[in-house]
Amino acid sequence: MKIYNTLSGKKEEFEPLSPGKVSMYVCGPTVYNLIHIGNARPMIIFDTVRRYMEYKGYEVNYVSNFTDVDDKIIKAAGEEGVDASVISERYIKECKKDMAGMNVKPATTHPKATEEIDGMIDMIKTLIDKGYAYVAADGTVYYRTRKFADYGKLSHKNLDDLQSGNRSLLVSGEDQKEDPLDFVLWKPKKEGEPFWPSPWCDGRPGWHIECSVMSKKYLGDSIDIHAGGEDLIFPHHENEIAQSEAANGKPFSQYWMHNAFLNIDNKKMSKSLGNFFTVRDISEKYDLQVLRFFMLSAHYRMPLNFSAELMEAAKNSLERIVNAAENVRFLAANSKTAEITDKEQQLLNETIKYQKKFESVMEDDFNTADAITSVFDLVKFINLHTGADSSKAYLNGLLRRLETLTGILGIETLRKEELPSADIEALIEERKQARKNKDFARADAIRNELLEKGIVLEDTREGVKWHRA
Ligand code: AMP
Ligand code: ZN
């Protein structure tokens, strides 16, 4: 199995630190809002990597954090006049709902930054003791970047270029730093912000330290795979390496995997341009499996453009797979013969080649686009070689083969009945009227009817909102 390693800039043969086991850390979202479809890309990609590893028989310990203390969370809390934890807990819950909709398995552990402060203080202490960090007059703790000889090895940056090239580092106004390249490990509290006591000052951690600490606690000093979006290579992952390797005295992660960005209509996705979609927005129009399928239709290291046309194409492609599976299920349920014939056994054996091909492209740095092609080749074979006279055993064998492959991609092949949006809106309106008339029994019946069809209603201050479960 080959994985492209950002550290070496090459595809490398995968060899885990412990035979049969894989330890994997994926940087998770900052929870101040509903996750957007860009955040969904690493979730789906690395969930698929995990599923493939599990298919190969590895025991995967998968850790993904929630950053639940951060300027954006504090700002959102201020705007609503609530505690920061109200915001972060709300969006962690919503994020987990979106993950479930996209068939992203829960991590083995989902640590939260605010619950790991003690570990962060311990690691910062170690870094100070080893001379890799220092305390400024106001209690801020900085990492002494130049002391870590390997700094820049992940992003392939040279320290001097960094210093002259990155103006923001020079004009940051933090004149208490020994060097403009130094970064914050701990910072003093500001009025009205959450804070924790520490040996240096009441305050909160810098952003990078949490991942070094959580990775060490849940996976150990050295891990197999560390992953995230490519924007995290510098400075976040570079700083994580500096912290972890200086503190632990051991190599941090063997393989560094980074997904390319998701763009919209060939432009960078951003709130200010108005070309910004949350996963929840998408769920109002599509089953989130379509979003997952769309994400997997491109190689993860290629930029991917989100557009209505491509989503429609993904929907239709997925439909072809579901149709084939449902057809086989129907034929199996109505088949008159139980026993597989010799000819059928031969055909079934032939389909191994699709699975082998699927494996070989997945083992070439997780080429999910080509893996989907193998699934379609199998679908074509199934459509061509099945009929009313096929035996139950043969049909079930084909279905198992298909579901093995779609299962690795995290795609389900059972048809979900889709209610058109207009019908949903009409039922919501009827429920509103029923409530107005105090006919709560009817209102509840409508809610339950929708729920059975996978539509979840939420009563909010702005009225009733709905999404597909
Ligand atoms: P954040 O909440 O910004 O820390 O992002 C969480 C994860 O989503 C990180 O791995 C980011 O690299 C990733 N991410 C954010 N925006 C995008 C995007 N447009 N395309 C792909 N990945 C993204
Ligand atoms: Zn991280």
Side-chain angles (χ1 to χ4, degrees):
M1 189 187 309
K2 288 204 160 53
I3 298 184
Y4 180 88
N5 190 350
T6 308
L7 198 57
S8 63
K10 288 200 277 270
K11 280 186 199 169
E12 292 174 22
E13 191 58 34
F14 178 67
E15 284 199 33
L17 292 165
S18 319
K21 293 191 174 163
V22 177
S23 51
M24 215 173 151
Y25 187 98
V26 181
C27 290
T30 306
V31 278
Y32 67 101
N33 207 333
L34 291 172
I35 57 162
H36 58 63
I37 54 177
N39 301 137
R41 192 170 188 195
M43 286 177 180
I44 292 168
I45 293 299
F46 300 117
D47 178 64
T48 306
V49 170
R50 171 195 191 168
R51 285 170 184 265
Y52 189 75
M53 297 283 192
E54 287 173 346
Y55 161 75
K56 292 298 283 184
Y58 289 110
E59 186 189 311
V60 183
N61 191 347
Y62 191 100
V63 176
S64 189
N65 63 310
F66 286 116
T67 299
D68 63 346
V69 56
D70 154 275
D71 289 342
K72 295 188 212 99
I73 300 172
I74 294 167
K75 183 161 170 270
E79 281 164 9
E80 280 194 32
V82 296
D83 205 67
S85 64
V86 173
I87 300 288
S88 57
E89 285 305 317
R90 180 195 303 156
Y91 290 113
I92 286 173
K93 217 167 113 205
E94 298 302 333
C95 177
K96 287 184 175 172
K97 278 192 217 163
D98 287 337
M99 284 169 61
M102 298 186 293
N103 238 354
V104 170
K105 294 210 271 187
T108 317
T109 315
H110 275 295
K112 297 178 204 165
T114 56
E115 291 173 2
E116 307 289 342
I117 302 287
D118 289 349
M120 297 191 221
I121 290 175
D122 282 347
M123 189 177 277
I124 297 171
K125 273 188 198 158
T126 306
L127 289 170
I128 294 173
D129 290 347
K130 289 188 165 185
Y132 284 98
Y134 58 95
V135 191
D138 69 351
T140 306
V141 185
Y142 291 103
Y143 188 95
R144 194 172 267 134
T145 302
R146 279 183 194 275
K147 168 131 175 114
F148 184 66
D150 280 344
Y151 196 83
K153 70 175 169 181
L154 180 71
S155 50
H156 309 291
K157 288 181 195 290
N158 164 304
L159 280 188
D160 296 318
D161 292 348
L162 262 180
Q163 186 152 355
S164 57
N166 196 336
R167 289 188 60 230
S168 66
L169 288 172
L170 295 172
V171 297
S172 60
E174 290 158 322
D175 47 10
Q176 48 177 5
K177 281 187 189 178
E178 287 177 3
D179 186 297
L181 290 175
D182 295 349
F183 61 90
V184 172
L185 296 171
W186 186 266
K187 56 188 169 192
K189 70 172 177 188
K190 287 197 201 126
E191 197 50 40
E193 291 188 355
F195 67 89
W196 291 262
S198 83
W200 316 291
C201 61
D202 285 351
R204 62 184 167 104
W207 170 36
H208 313 296
I209 193 76
E210 68 181 69
C211 291
S212 286
V213 167
M214 296 174 188
S215 184
K216 179 182 171 79
K217 176 164 169 188
Y218 296 100
L219 299 171
D221 289 352
S222 298
I223 69 169
D224 292 311
I225 300 174
H226 197 116
E230 65 184 0
D231 57 323
L232 299 186
I233 298 172
F234 185 85
H236 185 52
H237 287 163
E238 196 69 71
N239 290 354
E240 280 188 37
I241 292 176
Q243 294 164 161
S244 295
E245 298 196 349
N248 305 331
K250 293 193 194 134
F252 182 24
S253 179
Q254 294 205 83
Y255 303 87
W256 288 83
M257 296 180 73
H258 295 99
N259 63 274
F261 256 48
L262 179 76
N263 300 319
I264 290 192
D265 291 328
N266 289 314
K267 284 187 285 264
K268 194 179 161 204
M269 192 170 70
S270 89
K271 269 185 179 166
S272 55
L273 288 171
N275 57 355
F276 181 93
F277 291 114
T278 63
V279 170
R280 204 57 61 84
D281 292 333
I282 301 304
S283 77
E284 285 172 11
K285 199 152 173 230
Y286 294 99
D287 181 333
L288 288 177
Q289 293 238 59
V290 176
L291 183 66
R292 182 171 182 123
F293 193 80
F294 159 78
M295 296 280 186
L296 296 176
S297 65
H299 191 271
Y300 76 93
R301 283 191 292 114
M302 291 299 199
L304 175 58
N305 190 47
F306 181 89
S307 69
E309 294 78 43
L310 288 174
M311 278 297 281
E312 282 302 314
K315 186 179 169 190
N316 293 335
S317 299
L318 184 57
E319 194 58 30
R320 270 170 59 202
I321 299 172
V322 172
N323 276 344
E326 287 290 22
N327 191 38
V328 172
R329 277 186 205 104
F330 176 84
L331 291 174
N334 294 291
S335 170
K336 304 271 185 300
T337 33
E339 293 279 307
I340 193 161
T341 65
D342 289 348
K343 170 103 200 317
E344 285 178 334
Q345 187 61 58
Q346 215 179 334
L347 286 170
L348 190 57
N349 292 346
E350 221 183 282
T351 61
I352 291 172
K353 70 178 181 221
Y354 302 113
Q355 190 160 344
K356 291 274 172 249
K357 178 77 183 146
F358 182 101
E359 287 181 13
S360 78
V361 294
M362 285 297 275
E363 294 190 11
D364 182 14
D365 193 31
F366 303 98
N367 192 337
T368 53
D370 285 358
I372 288 175
T373 305
S374 297
V375 174
F376 278 124
D377 290 342
L378 175 60
V379 163
K380 269 186 233 149
F381 182 97
I382 291 176
N383 290 343
L384 205 63
H385 297 286
T386 51
D389 54 352
S390 303
S391 72
K392 221 184 220 36
Y394 169 64
L395 291 163
N396 285 335
L398 288 175
L399 191 60
R400 266 200 304 277
R401 177 90 67 219
L402 180 62
E403 288 188 326
T404 299
L405 305 192
T406 52
I408 294 167
L409 299 176
I411 296 292
E412 277 166 17
T413 60
L414 275 171
R415 172 163 296 115
K416 293 186 195 157
E417 220 187 293
E418 280 218 357
L419 207 56
S421 303
D423 294 6
I424 299 169
E425 304 286 352
L427 281 167
I428 290 175
E429 186 52 37
E430 193 190 331
R431 177 168 168 266
K432 197 167 130 195
Q433 290 305 326
R435 290 175 77 172
K436 226 184 217 163
N437 302 334
K438 303 218 173 331
D439 183 358
F440 296 114
R442 176 66 192 140
D444 285 348
I446 291 173
R447 174 187 281 274
N448 290 336
E449 184 187 332
L450 285 168
L451 200 59
E452 268 170 27
K453 296 194 168 129
I455 307 297
V456 182
L457 299 188
E458 274 176 72
D459 294 303
T460 73
R461 264 178 287 174
E462 300 93 55
V464 178
K465 293 206 170 138
W466 65 270
H467 61 89
R468 298 190 198 271

